[in-house]
Amino acid sequence: MSSHEQEKLLSYNGEVLIFQLSQGDLAEERTAKTSKLHARRMTFNRSTRAFIQKSTGIFSMHGEHSSFEMICCSCAADFRTGINLPCVLIRKNKKKSVFKYFLLLLHSSNEFEQRINFTLDYEMKDDIRILNGPSVLWRHSRTSFYISSQNDTIVSAPVKFSSIKWAGEIENLGTVLFGVGEPHSTKRESSQRSSKSDYAVWGTEFYAYSIENQKILSGAYFLPHAYGSVVTCIHICATKVVNTMLRISLLALTQKNQLIWFQDGVPKNLCQLPFQDPCALQVMASDSGDLLCIVSFRSSDVCAIWKKSFQVSSKWQKVKSALVDDFIGAGTEQLLLVFKDTFNTNCLTSFKLTDLGNVNYSNDAFDPMENDLFEDSVQENYSLTVQALERRLQIGLASIQELQKHLLLKERVLSKSCKALVGLVQGKEYVPPCEEEGILVSLCGDKKQLPHSLNEKLSNISHDSEHIIEKMWCRVLDDHLIVGVEIKNSFISFLNNVTLSLLMDQACTSSPLLIQCRNSMIRLDKVSFPTLSSPCESESAAKRIKLILHNKERKSNFHEQLSEADCIQVFTVVTALSPLLAFHNFCCIVMLHARWGENSGQCGESCTVPCGRLSLNIEDISNGKYSVTLPEKNKPLKEPVEDLFALLAVFHKFCFQITSPDCTLSSVKTWLVEHMECETIKEFPDSFLCKSLGALNGTFFNWKQKTPFEGILIVYCRLQGDTEVH
């Protein structure tokens, strides 16, 4: 193919359409030149195992000082007949700033019909698609435009998309655009899956816009907002309306080289792709009822994934084009792979046609008379494969039996250990039978003699929640349940290695079950660090060292004077909320585990303290009774401050030690307030909450300046690359 020719491939009704655009010779026709668009229909011949040319069509385009270019080709329904027809979008570059576009339809008679004709003062580059009608969609400067053959009028969508991920038709909604944009200020449709904290933290939203209804839909029906920055392409598998709610099943490609299956906005399965930079996704229906996902990459690689197993089954390289259609007339679809550097003007010379099952054709040398020999070989391989699988199945069954015995033993250990723990909490002594002593383990450790001074102080105090626990609370954030416990100030210095645990307390369980969770301790000072003297840049090194030593002494004295009442220390535990909602009314016991000890670090007896019983029901959670609310801009943090500690418990924590040998760090707080648009939290003067619009909204900063030239910056934030907080 010469440099003056362009070509594109398209599958249509089991045929391969080859569109070739050849530019006219300007030297031969002086100032006028003729460009020609050739269309050739190729069909597969099963007897010769090759594609042959069925018919051709041609369309001539004339223009002075003009050049023509094929933008894209696709199949779309003609509203006049309802029949799908091949469409080609052509651009005519007439002048430097004038671009003329026209859409051609190819009929069964191989005649071209021009259906849409429009002119723009800019070049279309982003999110160009051909839709039913036929119609043309494109995006320019964050505005989406649409022109249909029914009215020949360019219409702009009110939603400012930064990228369009999908465009197509949905029943009862018509043509729908789905993409990513900034958070929208207009009223959204209610959705139980929409979370206000998503809009505040991620800074982007998914939107769907119905062109016919001129209606903006919530993107939560399609994908969670957290995927806005990573999803590159989607394919909608099925849509239906249940109780006025839109239910959608779709597949999505991401920048992290993943294929993810979503059902009603919830990720169900994930497959890591074998190549980098996926760009296109097709779905092929097989005769087994399963779907085959075909993923194309910018590196000219292709892979296939079965939807049921969600594992890569095949992959190919150096692929020019991947097409899906019923090319052999079998009633089911096949995948046609056309390989690079072997495509000429006469036929498809290097290809592979397969359904990853019984159908498998290629252009390799093959004698049709060898069909019987080939079938005998396949049958022999089948018998050998079945025998090998039977042996592997027998070995697998034996392994499963061993695992079942091991699991029964583990369940027995956990059940008896939980009973012993509950008995300990209730003050009952649990004496296991002789045969069970060997499998039980100590959950609270062996008792040790307390130091004499600590024994005197705690001699009249029992380890119960009335004396130790100041407050217990719970919050719900996204799919996380956060439980917080505050200890009375008089006991904080005597408790070490504090952790929390949750024991399920349901009537349907014979013994309490331990819930998997994650612990953390969060401490915020209610008194700001003292203002440290800062030397001028021109002061001598000796004076600067003296100042640093002086400030270190002041800082040490400050910590000695700082009491436990000048800070809030909260112990939190975080667990997944979704599994607990299955109980509708969920109850659990919150336990505190610690070791008695003095500030010197000497540890003593292990103790377990019941903090209380926590009851949740799905109605209160749905009504937002335990929801976390971020403070709005220029408004103080609402009392109580449990929302803030719940947010910090879920977020990721990063600690940075900042040193600056050449200049002081006295302007860090000013930088946080002015440059990062943070607001100081009144209750905690050294803490700042970012309230700027965008991805940083909700980020928490805590700045502790140790010396004029050294400080510690602690950052709590949610990472955009995560689908959920672990």
Side-chain angles (χ1 to χ4, degrees):
M1 184 178 64
S2 68
S3 59
H4 296 286
E5 292 183 346
Q6 306 169 37
E7 57 190 19
K8 293 184 181 294
L9 275 68
L10 180 66
S11 62
Y12 175 71
N13 286 349
E15 301 173 341
V16 178
L17 301 181
I18 304 174
F19 294 103
Q20 291 180 323
L21 177 61
S22 59
Q23 302 287 350
D25 192 345
L26 187 61
E28 292 181 0
E29 302 190 24
R30 306 290 179 129
T31 58
K33 61 179 180 179
T34 301
S35 297
K36 295 182 179 180
L37 177 63
H38 299 266
R40 297 171 41 243
R41 298 179 185 265
M42 309 289 290
T43 59
F44 184 72
N45 189 306
R46 300 179 69 173
S47 60
T48 60
R49 307 174 66 88
F51 282 89
I52 59 174
Q53 181 172 296
K54 177 182 178 182
S55 58
T56 62
I58 190 170
F59 182 79
S60 299
M61 296 168 285
H62 308 279
E64 297 181 359
H65 307 290
S66 301
S67 62
F68 296 87
E69 181 180 354
M70 267 194 301
I71 305 302
C72 60
C73 60
S74 180
C75 292
D78 186 350
F79 79 95
R80 299 170 298 183
T81 61
I83 300 175
N84 272 6
L85 293 176
C87 303
V88 183
L89 181 62
I90 304 292
R91 177 172 61 219
K92 177 181 179 182
N93 303 330
K94 191 173 184 181
K95 295 181 181 179
K96 185 176 182 180
S97 59
V98 177
F99 300 90
K100 184 176 181 180
Y101 295 87
F102 51 92
L103 187 69
L104 300 177
L105 269 65
L106 179 64
H107 293 278
S108 58
S109 60
N110 290 326
E111 293 182 358
F112 283 95
E113 177 189 5
Q114 182 174 312
R115 287 293 298 145
I116 301 178
N117 189 340
F118 58 98
T119 302
L120 300 175
D121 57 358
Y122 57 85
E123 181 181 356
M124 289 195 310
K125 294 181 179 180
D126 301 322
D127 298 327
I128 305 172
R129 288 175 170 82
I130 300 174
L131 305 177
N132 287 337
S135 55
V136 179
L137 168 73
W138 72 96
R139 183 177 57 84
H140 180 71
S141 298
R142 302 183 68 86
T143 302
S144 300
F145 298 94
Y146 175 87
I147 183 171
S148 173
S149 58
Q150 300 182 48
N151 49 33
D152 290 332
T153 302
I154 298 177
V155 180
S156 62
V159 179
K160 300 296 182 181
F161 289 111
S162 59
S163 65
I164 298 177
K165 307 300 183 184
W166 179 83
E169 289 192 355
I170 296 180
E171 187 178 359
N172 299 326
L173 294 176
T175 303
V176 174
L177 312 182
F178 175 70
V180 178
E182 295 181 355
H184 204 267
S185 59
T186 59
K187 183 178 180 181
R188 306 178 181 88
E189 289 192 351
S190 60
S191 173
Q192 294 181 354
R193 297 181 181 86
S194 299
S195 172
K196 293 183 179 179
S197 61
D198 281 341
Y199 305 128
V201 174
W202 296 113
T204 58
E205 282 189 62
F206 278 117
Y207 294 105
Y209 176 70
S210 173
I211 294 178
E212 283 82 353
N213 300 339
Q214 298 183 358
K215 184 179 181 181
I216 300 176
L217 308 175
S218 171
Y221 292 120
F222 295 78
L223 293 170
H225 298 295
Y227 289 85
S229 60
V230 295
V231 169
T232 58
C233 174
I234 72 170
H235 177 89
I236 294 183
C237 302
T239 62
K240 62 179 179 179
V241 178
V242 179
N243 296 329
T244 70
M245 294 292 292
L246 184 61
R247 310 290 295 274
I248 297 178
S249 174
L250 62 85
L251 298 163
L253 297 175
T254 72
Q255 295 176 358
K256 296 186 176 182
N257 309 313
Q258 297 169 331
L259 175 67
I260 308 178
W261 170 35
F262 290 89
Q263 182 67 47
D264 303 328
V266 178
K268 292 295 184 182
N269 214 336
L270 181 146
C271 176
Q272 191 67 40
L273 300 175
F275 305 110
Q276 302 289 323
D277 203 4
C279 61
L281 175 62
Q282 302 179 75
V283 173
M284 186 185 87
S286 66
D287 53 1
S288 64
D290 196 5
L291 292 178
L292 188 66
C293 308
I294 313 298
V295 181
S296 300
F297 301 81
R298 298 191 190 280
S299 55
S300 300
D301 301 315
V302 174
C303 72
I305 300 102
W306 289 109
K307 188 171 180 288
K308 284 185 179 179
S309 63
F310 234 67
Q311 298 292 325
V312 176
S313 60
S314 299
K315 54 186 177 180
W316 304 271
Q317 295 179 311
K318 297 182 180 180
V319 178
K320 177 184 178 69
S321 182
L323 304 175
V324 174
D325 210 324
D326 183 10
F327 297 100
I328 65 174
T332 57
E333 293 179 324
Q334 304 93 42
L335 171 64
L336 173 63
L337 300 168
V338 181
F339 296 100
K340 273 190 169 184
D341 302 326
T342 54
F343 183 89
N344 59 36
T345 58
N346 295 322
C347 62
L348 299 167
T349 58
S350 182
F351 66 89
K352 183 176 183 65
L353 182 61
T354 179
D355 65 352
L356 271 67
N358 298 326
V359 178
N360 194 359
Y361 295 96
S362 67
N363 63 326
D364 297 334
F366 183 86
D367 186 356
M369 299 299 294
E370 296 179 358
N371 278 342
D372 295 337
L373 296 176
F374 178 75
E375 291 179 359
D376 293 341
S377 176
V378 169
Q379 184 63 34
E380 182 181 358
N381 291 337
Y382 174 79
S383 300
L384 294 175
T385 302
V386 169
Q387 294 176 6
L389 289 175
E390 287 178 348
R391 288 193 294 269
R392 291 182 62 183
L393 183 61
Q394 293 173 355
I395 296 173
L397 288 174
S399 300
I400 290 175
Q401 292 174 355
E402 292 295 328
L403 286 174
Q404 287 176 339
K405 293 180 181 179
H406 183 66
L407 288 175
L408 289 174
L409 179 60
K410 289 179 66 177
E411 289 179 0
R412 187 181 176 193
V413 170
L414 291 174
S415 176
K416 299 299 180 182
S417 300
C418 287
K419 288 182 179 179
L421 176 60
V422 174
L424 177 64
V425 172
Q426 296 174 350
K428 301 177 183 178
E429 185 178 358
Y430 177 77
V431 180
C434 296
E435 65 273 11
E436 295 179 357
E437 290 184 354
I439 67 171
L440 289 179
V441 295
S442 175
L443 294 179
C444 300
D446 299 329
K447 292 185 177 181
K448 297 182 180 179
Q449 186 65 32
L450 292 174
H452 181 68
S453 61
L454 188 59
N455 261 327
E456 291 180 354
K457 181 174 181 66
L458 303 175
S459 58
N460 298 322
I461 300 177
S462 61
H463 303 167
D464 57 29
S465 57
E466 293 181 1
H467 297 91
I468 299 176
I469 305 304
E470 177 73 28
K471 183 192 298 185
M472 185 184 75
W473 48 264
C474 71
R475 291 292 186 273
V476 171
L477 177 61
D478 295 337
D479 189 34
H480 304 282
L481 172 64
I482 307 102
V483 179
V485 172
E486 298 180 32
I487 301 174
K488 291 184 178 181
N489 294 331
S490 58
F491 282 88
I492 290 180
S493 59
F494 296 100
L495 292 177
N496 298 313
N497 304 330
V498 178
T499 59
L500 301 177
S501 63
L502 302 178
L503 291 176
M504 187 175 293
D505 184 20
Q506 298 293 129
C508 59
T509 57
S510 58
S511 60
L513 302 177
L514 191 64
I515 301 174
Q516 185 178 6
C517 51
R518 172 171 56 85
N519 276 271
S520 63
M521 188 276 287
I522 304 169
R523 172 175 175 154
L524 297 179
D525 295 323
K526 295 189 288 185
V527 178
S528 177
F529 271 66
T531 304
L532 303 176
S533 303
S534 58
C536 299
E537 299 296 333
S538 59
E539 290 178 344
S540 64
K543 185 176 181 181
R544 181 175 301 199
I545 293 173
K546 182 178 180 181
L547 178 61
I548 292 175
L549 294 175
H550 172 67
N551 281 309
K552 284 185 177 180
E553 183 179 354
R554 289 183 59 194
K555 175 174 163 293
S556 176
N557 294 334
F558 172 77
H559 278 291
E560 290 177 0
Q561 298 172 2
L562 187 65
S563 66
E564 297 296 342
D566 294 327
C567 69
I568 296 182
Q569 184 169 293
V570 178
F571 298 93
T572 63
V573 63
V574 181
T575 187
L577 179 64
S578 299
L580 308 180
L581 296 179
F583 295 99
H584 189 74
N585 291 316
F586 164 72
C587 298
C588 71
I589 301 173
V590 183
M591 308 292 295
L592 183 142
H593 311 276
R595 281 185 177 272
W596 293 105
E598 300 200 33
N599 290 333
S600 60
Q602 186 178 9
C603 293
E605 177 189 6
S606 298
C607 67
T608 301
V609 180
C611 303
R613 191 169 182 269
L614 183 65
S615 298
L616 298 175
N617 60 71
I618 195 170
E619 288 81 6
D620 290 341
I621 295 175
S622 301
N623 295 332
K625 180 178 179 180
Y626 304 103
S627 297
V628 174
T629 303
L630 286 174
E632 299 179 3
K633 195 168 184 179
N634 298 324
K635 291 186 178 180
L637 192 68
K638 295 181 179 180
E639 292 286 352
V641 295
E642 281 81 2
D643 284 359
L644 177 62
F645 284 94
L647 198 70
L648 301 185
V650 173
F651 279 7
H652 293 262
K653 178 182 178 181
F654 300 92
C655 186
F656 303 93
Q657 183 174 2
I658 301 175
T659 59
S660 176
D662 299 325
C663 58
T664 63
L665 299 173
S666 58
S667 60
V668 171
K669 289 187 177 181
T670 304
W671 176 77
L672 287 172
V673 173
E674 296 180 358
H675 181 75
M676 298 299 295
E677 299 184 25
C678 295
E679 292 185 8
T680 306
I681 299 178
K682 181 180 178 182
E683 293 80 2
F684 311 106
D686 289 332
S687 301
F688 303 84
L689 191 64
C690 182
K691 297 185 180 179
S692 64
L693 297 178
L696 287 177
N697 188 285
T699 303
F700 179 88
F701 299 91
N702 182 267
W703 170 247
K704 295 180 180 179
Q705 190 162 349
K706 301 169 65 177
T707 72
F709 309 99
E710 182 180 359
I712 295 178
L713 180 65
I714 301 175
V715 181
Y716 291 87
C717 63
R718 175 180 289 184
L719 301 181
Q720 281 195 326
D722 296 343
T723 59
E724 61 179 359
V725 181
H726 297 279

